[in-house]
Amino acid sequence: MTDRVIRVLVAEDQSMVRGALRALLELEPDITVVAEVGRGDEVLAAAREHGPDVALLDIEMPGRDGLEAARELAAELPAVRAVVLTTFGRPGFLRRAMEVGAAGFLVKDAPVAELATAIRAVVAGERVIDRDLAAAALAIGATPLSAREADVLREAADGATVADIARRLFLSEGTVRNYLSSAIGKTGARTRVEAARVAADKGWL
């Protein structure tokens, strides 16, 4: 346990989950929640205002996802340690979280005592990663998709046409088709929508 009270920011779009996290963490004698936000694009401003030691970040939030929020914190406020806390226990998400500078990655069904221990550990300069996810990430390896292949799959996930994707990404339709074909092959899928689903399940998007 640290000698001082650790200041925590909670970023979670579900108000009930956010409130439960706050209530549970406030039971710890050396942890206090100094701010709560429900959107990813509110994280940086709240961190600047309240000066937390740790930011707990959900991955899927409106405005900006937790991984982008972690990237912003690492660039703008490196003293704030980001811990990604998510329902999506996918190895690809873990790898991306580490790439953007997160200090920890835990799934939401972890016991609160484990979360409190992780918060103390990251404040002490350690990195905390869910053990099962770490093993799975090593087994899967890095994403096989290029940045552009990932871009077109994200656009294709909601059923966008080749013309729509080309317009949104400022690419030619032929180039989009080439990227989609390559991404489908790399994911082992049969269609672009299936390829997007496979890539999302692995945390590559």
Side-chain angles (χ1 to χ4, degrees):
M1 186 178 295
T2 62
D3 295 329
R4 64 184 177 85
V5 175
I6 300 170
R7 298 166 60 82
V8 175
L9 179 155
V10 177
E12 161 64 57
D13 64 327
Q14 297 183 42
S15 58
M16 187 175 294
V17 176
R18 192 167 66 244
L21 279 171
R22 176 172 199 142
L24 290 168
L25 289 174
E26 291 281 7
L27 293 174
E28 300 293 325
D30 59 335
I31 295 175
T32 185
V33 176
V34 296
E36 298 177 35
V37 297
R39 296 175 56 90
D41 52 6
E42 296 173 343
V43 170
L44 186 59
R48 283 178 173 146
E49 179 179 354
H50 298 281
D53 301 299
V54 175
L56 294 183
L57 308 173
D58 185 26
I59 282 187
E60 294 213 338
M61 292 185 287
R64 186 164 295 126
D65 67 35
L67 297 175
E68 283 304 308
R71 187 194 301 277
E72 281 190 339
L73 287 174
E76 302 289 334
L77 299 171
V80 180
R81 307 281 281 169
V83 175
V84 176
L85 185 65
T86 180
T87 305
F88 302 96
R90 298 170 183 163
F93 280 145
L94 167 58
R95 187 176 295 277
R96 287 170 57 200
M98 296 302 100
E99 288 172 353
V100 300
F105 192 100
L106 297 173
V107 292
K108 285 183 180 176
D109 59 3
V112 69
E114 185 176 325
L115 176 58
T117 298
I119 288 171
R120 296 181 187 111
V122 298
V123 168
E126 300 175 29
R127 218 172 213 190
V128 180
I129 301 171
D130 180 275
R131 199 174 308 169
D132 292 339
L133 277 176
L138 287 173
I140 287 177
T143 175
L145 300 174
S146 70
R148 269 312 196 187
E149 288 165 352
D151 288 341
V152 298
L153 279 188
R154 287 189 195 95
E155 297 295 337
D158 62 358
T161 66
V162 168
D164 289 336
I165 297 170
R167 186 174 62 255
R168 293 173 189 172
L169 298 181
F170 304 101
L171 298 171
S172 71
E173 292 186 21
T175 298
V176 169
R177 289 191 185 92
N178 289 339
Y179 282 135
L180 285 171
S181 176
S182 178
I184 289 169
K186 288 179 179 180
T187 57
R190 292 169 296 180
T191 67
R192 70 185 70 160
V193 173
E194 183 183 350
R197 180 184 56 75
V198 170
D201 285 346
K202 292 183 180 294
W204 294 339
L205 298 184

mmCIF file of all heavy atoms in Angstrom, residues 3-29:
data_model
loop_
_atom_site.group_PDB
_atom_site.id
_atom_site.type_symbol
_atom_site.label_atom_id
_atom_site.label_comp_id
_atom_site.label_asym_id
_atom_site.label_seq_id
_atom_site.Cartn_x
_atom_site.Cartn_y
_atom_site.Cartn_z
ATOM 1 N N ASP A 3 1.908 5.297 0.678
ATOM 2 C CA ASP A 3 1.794 6.152 1.854
ATOM 3 C C ASP A 3 0.825 7.300 1.641
ATOM 4 O O ASP A 3 0.526 8.035 2.572
ATOM 5 C CB ASP A 3 3.174 6.712 2.219
ATOM 6 C CG ASP A 3 4.126 5.608 2.654
ATOM 7 O OD1 ASP A 3 3.643 4.612 3.224
ATOM 8 O OD2 ASP A 3 5.337 5.755 2.418
ATOM 9 N N ARG A 4 0.373 7.484 0.430
ATOM 10 C CA ARG A 4 -0.542 8.594 0.157
ATOM 11 C C ARG A 4 -1.796 8.083 -0.517
ATOM 12 O O ARG A 4 -1.869 6.928 -0.947
ATOM 13 C CB ARG A 4 0.147 9.615 -0.749
ATOM 14 C CG ARG A 4 0.497 9.073 -2.128
ATOM 15 C CD ARG A 4 1.258 10.102 -2.935
ATOM 16 N NE ARG A 4 1.668 9.605 -4.242
ATOM 17 C CZ ARG A 4 0.906 9.627 -5.333
ATOM 18 N NH1 ARG A 4 -0.324 10.099 -5.258
ATOM 19 N NH2 ARG A 4 1.362 9.171 -6.492
ATOM 20 N N VAL A 5 -2.790 8.954 -0.605
ATOM 21 C CA VAL A 5 -4.043 8.569 -1.247
ATOM 22 C C VAL A 5 -3.886 8.693 -2.761
ATOM 23 O O VAL A 5 -3.456 9.728 -3.270
ATOM 24 C CB VAL A 5 -5.200 9.460 -0.754
ATOM 25 C CG1 VAL A 5 -6.474 9.140 -1.528
ATOM 26 C CG2 VAL A 5 -5.421 9.252 0.734
ATOM 27 N N ILE A 6 -4.224 7.639 -3.463
ATOM 28 C CA ILE A 6 -4.114 7.608 -4.923
ATOM 29 C C ILE A 6 -5.383 8.194 -5.529
ATOM 30 O O ILE A 6 -6.497 7.776 -5.212
ATOM 31 C CB ILE A 6 -3.916 6.159 -5.408
ATOM 32 C CG1 ILE A 6 -2.635 5.571 -4.815
ATOM 33 C CG2 ILE A 6 -3.874 6.110 -6.935
ATOM 34 C CD1 ILE A 6 -2.489 4.076 -5.048
ATOM 35 N N ARG A 7 -5.202 9.149 -6.426
ATOM 36 C CA ARG A 7 -6.316 9.843 -7.071
ATOM 37 C C ARG A 7 -6.649 9.152 -8.403
ATOM 38 O O ARG A 7 -5.778 8.965 -9.242
ATOM 39 C CB ARG A 7 -5.942 11.308 -7.310
ATOM 40 C CG ARG A 7 -5.661 12.065 -6.022
ATOM 41 C CD ARG A 7 -4.965 13.394 -6.277
ATOM 42 N NE ARG A 7 -5.744 14.282 -7.106
ATOM 43 C CZ ARG A 7 -6.733 15.064 -6.665
ATOM 44 N NH1 ARG A 7 -7.043 15.056 -5.377
ATOM 45 N NH2 ARG A 7 -7.406 15.846 -7.497
ATOM 46 N N VAL A 8 -7.924 8.794 -8.561
ATOM 47 C CA VAL A 8 -8.347 8.001 -9.718
ATOM 48 C C VAL A 8 -9.446 8.722 -10.501
ATOM 49 O O VAL A 8 -10.378 9.285 -9.923
ATOM 50 C CB VAL A 8 -8.856 6.614 -9.277
ATOM 51 C CG1 VAL A 8 -9.408 5.824 -10.466
ATOM 52 C CG2 VAL A 8 -7.739 5.831 -8.607
ATOM 53 N N LEU A 9 -9.319 8.691 -11.817
ATOM 54 C CA LEU A 9 -10.370 9.142 -12.730
ATOM 55 C C LEU A 9 -11.011 7.898 -13.341
ATOM 56 O O LEU A 9 -10.294 7.001 -13.795
ATOM 57 C CB LEU A 9 -9.770 10.029 -13.812
ATOM 58 C CG LEU A 9 -10.703 10.606 -14.898
ATOM 59 C CD1 LEU A 9 -10.108 11.879 -15.480
ATOM 60 C CD2 LEU A 9 -10.969 9.617 -16.041
ATOM 61 N N VAL A 10 -12.347 7.839 -13.351
ATOM 62 C CA VAL A 10 -13.058 6.702 -13.939
ATOM 63 C C VAL A 10 -13.764 7.152 -15.210
ATOM 64 O O VAL A 10 -14.595 8.068 -15.182
ATOM 65 C CB VAL A 10 -14.089 6.111 -12.952
ATOM 66 C CG1 VAL A 10 -14.875 4.979 -13.618
ATOM 67 C CG2 VAL A 10 -13.397 5.606 -11.691
ATOM 68 N N ALA A 11 -13.427 6.528 -16.334
ATOM 69 C CA ALA A 11 -14.071 6.825 -17.618
ATOM 70 C C ALA A 11 -14.831 5.593 -18.072
ATOM 71 O O ALA A 11 -14.234 4.588 -18.456
ATOM 72 C CB ALA A 11 -13.033 7.230 -18.657
ATOM 73 N N GLU A 12 -16.148 5.664 -18.001
ATOM 74 C CA GLU A 12 -17.020 4.520 -18.309
ATOM 75 C C GLU A 12 -18.367 5.080 -18.746
ATOM 76 O O GLU A 12 -18.941 5.933 -18.059
ATOM 77 C CB GLU A 12 -17.172 3.657 -17.048
ATOM 78 C CG GLU A 12 -18.354 2.718 -17.018
ATOM 79 C CD GLU A 12 -18.297 1.648 -18.086
ATOM 80 O OE1 GLU A 12 -17.309 0.898 -18.120
ATOM 81 O OE2 GLU A 12 -19.262 1.559 -18.867
ATOM 82 N N ASP A 13 -18.861 4.628 -19.909
ATOM 83 C CA ASP A 13 -20.085 5.227 -20.432
ATOM 84 C C ASP A 13 -21.353 4.719 -19.766
ATOM 85 O O ASP A 13 -22.398 5.360 -19.852
ATOM 86 C CB ASP A 13 -20.168 5.053 -21.950
ATOM 87 C CG ASP A 13 -20.271 3.597 -22.372
ATOM 88 O OD1 ASP A 13 -19.689 2.739 -21.690
ATOM 89 O OD2 ASP A 13 -20.926 3.323 -23.391
ATOM 90 N N GLN A 14 -21.302 3.588 -19.095
ATOM 91 C CA GLN A 14 -22.492 3.071 -18.400
ATOM 92 C C GLN A 14 -22.505 3.609 -16.969
ATOM 93 O O GLN A 14 -21.651 3.267 -16.161
ATOM 94 C CB GLN A 14 -22.488 1.549 -18.401
ATOM 95 C CG GLN A 14 -22.571 0.942 -19.798
ATOM 96 C CD GLN A 14 -22.630 -0.567 -19.772
ATOM 97 O OE1 GLN A 14 -23.329 -1.156 -18.954
ATOM 98 N NE2 GLN A 14 -21.889 -1.190 -20.666
ATOM 99 N N SER A 15 -23.499 4.435 -16.671
ATOM 100 C CA SER A 15 -23.509 5.141 -15.391
ATOM 101 C C SER A 15 -23.569 4.180 -14.204
ATOM 102 O O SER A 15 -22.958 4.431 -13.159
ATOM 103 C CB SER A 15 -24.674 6.126 -15.331
ATOM 104 O OG SER A 15 -25.903 5.468 -15.526
ATOM 105 N N MET A 16 -24.277 3.062 -14.352
ATOM 106 C CA MET A 16 -24.379 2.120 -13.245
ATOM 107 C C MET A 16 -23.020 1.476 -12.950
ATOM 108 O O MET A 16 -22.614 1.345 -11.787
ATOM 109 C CB MET A 16 -25.418 1.036 -13.557
ATOM 110 C CG MET A 16 -25.714 0.101 -12.384
ATOM 111 S SD MET A 16 -27.038 -1.072 -12.758
ATOM 112 C CE MET A 16 -28.436 0.050 -12.937
ATOM 113 N N VAL A 17 -22.320 1.091 -13.999
ATOM 114 C CA VAL A 17 -20.991 0.498 -13.831
ATOM 115 C C VAL A 17 -20.029 1.530 -13.261
ATOM 116 O O VAL A 17 -19.229 1.237 -12.362
ATOM 117 C CB VAL A 17 -20.458 -0.046 -15.178
ATOM 118 C CG1 VAL A 17 -19.033 -0.562 -15.024
ATOM 119 C CG2 VAL A 17 -21.370 -1.147 -15.698
ATOM 120 N N ARG A 18 -20.129 2.755 -13.766
ATOM 121 C CA ARG A 18 -19.255 3.827 -13.287
ATOM 122 C C ARG A 18 -19.472 4.074 -11.790
ATOM 123 O O ARG A 18 -18.527 4.207 -11.021
ATOM 124 C CB ARG A 18 -19.532 5.097 -14.088
ATOM 125 C CG ARG A 18 -18.518 6.191 -13.888
ATOM 126 C CD ARG A 18 -18.672 7.278 -14.934
ATOM 127 N NE ARG A 18 -19.921 8.005 -14.819
ATOM 128 C CZ ARG A 18 -20.884 8.016 -15.739
ATOM 129 N NH1 ARG A 18 -20.739 7.335 -16.856
ATOM 130 N NH2 ARG A 18 -21.984 8.711 -15.562
ATOM 131 N N GLY A 19 -20.743 4.114 -11.394
ATOM 132 C CA GLY A 19 -21.056 4.328 -9.987
ATOM 133 C C GLY A 19 -20.588 3.176 -9.109
ATOM 134 O O GLY A 19 -20.102 3.389 -7.991
ATOM 135 N N ALA A 20 -20.722 1.951 -9.632
ATOM 136 C CA ALA A 20 -20.286 0.782 -8.858
ATOM 137 C C ALA A 20 -18.771 0.791 -8.682
ATOM 138 O O ALA A 20 -18.262 0.494 -7.592
ATOM 139 C CB ALA A 20 -20.733 -0.499 -9.560
ATOM 140 N N LEU A 21 -18.058 1.147 -9.724
ATOM 141 C CA LEU A 21 -16.597 1.221 -9.628
ATOM 142 C C LEU A 21 -16.180 2.253 -8.583
ATOM 143 O O LEU A 21 -15.301 2.003 -7.757
ATOM 144 C CB LEU A 21 -15.994 1.593 -10.984
ATOM 145 C CG LEU A 21 -15.827 0.467 -11.999
ATOM 146 C CD1 LEU A 21 -15.429 1.044 -13.349
ATOM 147 C CD2 LEU A 21 -14.793 -0.544 -11.526
ATOM 148 N N ARG A 22 -16.844 3.388 -8.622
ATOM 149 C CA ARG A 22 -16.505 4.438 -7.663
ATOM 150 C C ARG A 22 -16.765 3.964 -6.235
ATOM 151 O O ARG A 22 -15.915 4.128 -5.350
ATOM 152 C CB ARG A 22 -17.319 5.696 -7.943
ATOM 153 C CG ARG A 22 -17.056 6.779 -6.912
ATOM 154 C CD ARG A 22 -17.699 8.105 -7.255
ATOM 155 N NE ARG A 22 -17.039 9.157 -6.483
ATOM 156 C CZ ARG A 22 -16.775 10.357 -6.923
ATOM 157 N NH1 ARG A 22 -17.082 10.691 -8.154
ATOM 158 N NH2 ARG A 22 -16.177 11.243 -6.155
ATOM 159 N N ALA A 23 -17.937 3.369 -6.023
ATOM 160 C CA ALA A 23 -18.293 2.930 -4.679
ATOM 161 C C ALA A 23 -17.317 1.883 -4.150
ATOM 162 O O ALA A 23 -16.905 1.929 -2.981
ATOM 163 C CB ALA A 23 -19.721 2.378 -4.680
ATOM 164 N N LEU A 24 -16.933 0.949 -5.015
ATOM 165 C CA LEU A 24 -16.023 -0.117 -4.589
ATOM 166 C C LEU A 24 -14.616 0.428 -4.321
ATOM 167 O O LEU A 24 -13.985 0.058 -3.328
ATOM 168 C CB LEU A 24 -15.979 -1.212 -5.648
ATOM 169 C CG LEU A 24 -17.250 -2.061 -5.779
ATOM 170 C CD1 LEU A 24 -17.203 -2.917 -7.035
ATOM 171 C CD2 LEU A 24 -17.445 -2.936 -4.540
ATOM 172 N N LEU A 25 -14.157 1.306 -5.185
ATOM 173 C CA LEU A 25 -12.811 1.849 -4.998
ATOM 174 C C LEU A 25 -12.734 2.751 -3.770
ATOM 175 O O LEU A 25 -11.702 2.800 -3.087
ATOM 176 C CB LEU A 25 -12.371 2.620 -6.242
ATOM 177 C CG LEU A 25 -12.066 1.756 -7.468
ATOM 178 C CD1 LEU A 25 -11.787 2.637 -8.678
ATOM 179 C CD2 LEU A 25 -10.887 0.821 -7.201
ATOM 180 N N GLU A 26 -13.824 3.453 -3.477
ATOM 181 C CA GLU A 26 -13.820 4.348 -2.324
ATOM 182 C C GLU A 26 -13.756 3.578 -1.004
ATOM 183 O O GLU A 26 -13.484 4.160 0.049
ATOM 184 C CB GLU A 26 -15.067 5.248 -2.341
ATOM 185 C CG GLU A 26 -15.082 6.273 -3.464
ATOM 186 C CD GLU A 26 -14.213 7.489 -3.170
ATOM 187 O OE1 GLU A 26 -13.501 7.497 -2.161
ATOM 188 O OE2 GLU A 26 -14.255 8.445 -3.979
ATOM 189 N N LEU A 27 -13.993 2.259 -1.057
ATOM 190 C CA LEU A 27 -13.859 1.439 0.147
ATOM 191 C C LEU A 27 -12.394 1.201 0.507
ATOM 192 O O LEU A 27 -12.084 0.797 1.628
ATOM 193 C CB LEU A 27 -14.561 0.089 -0.049
ATOM 194 C CG LEU A 27 -16.094 0.133 -0.190
ATOM 195 C CD1 LEU A 27 -16.625 -1.256 -0.520
ATOM 196 C CD2 LEU A 27 -16.748 0.685 1.063
ATOM 197 N N GLU A 28 -11.515 1.433 -0.466
ATOM 198 C CA GLU A 28 -10.088 1.258 -0.215
ATOM 199 C C GLU A 28 -9.549 2.495 0.512
ATOM 200 O O GLU A 28 -9.780 3.620 0.058
ATOM 201 C CB GLU A 28 -9.337 1.068 -1.536
ATOM 202 C CG GLU A 28 -9.793 -0.137 -2.343
ATOM 203 C CD GLU A 28 -9.458 -1.455 -1.661
ATOM 204 O OE1 GLU A 28 -8.393 -1.532 -1.009
ATOM 205 O OE2 GLU A 28 -10.263 -2.387 -1.781
ATOM 206 N N PRO A 29 -8.839 2.327 1.610
ATOM 207 C CA PRO A 29 -8.414 3.489 2.404
ATOM 208 C C PRO A 29 -7.420 4.401 1.719
ATOM 209 O O PRO A 29 -7.306 5.581 2.076
ATOM 210 C CB PRO A 29 -7.785 2.844 3.648
ATOM 211 C CG PRO A 29 -7.369 1.480 3.205
ATOM 212 C CD PRO A 29 -8.410 1.051 2.209
#
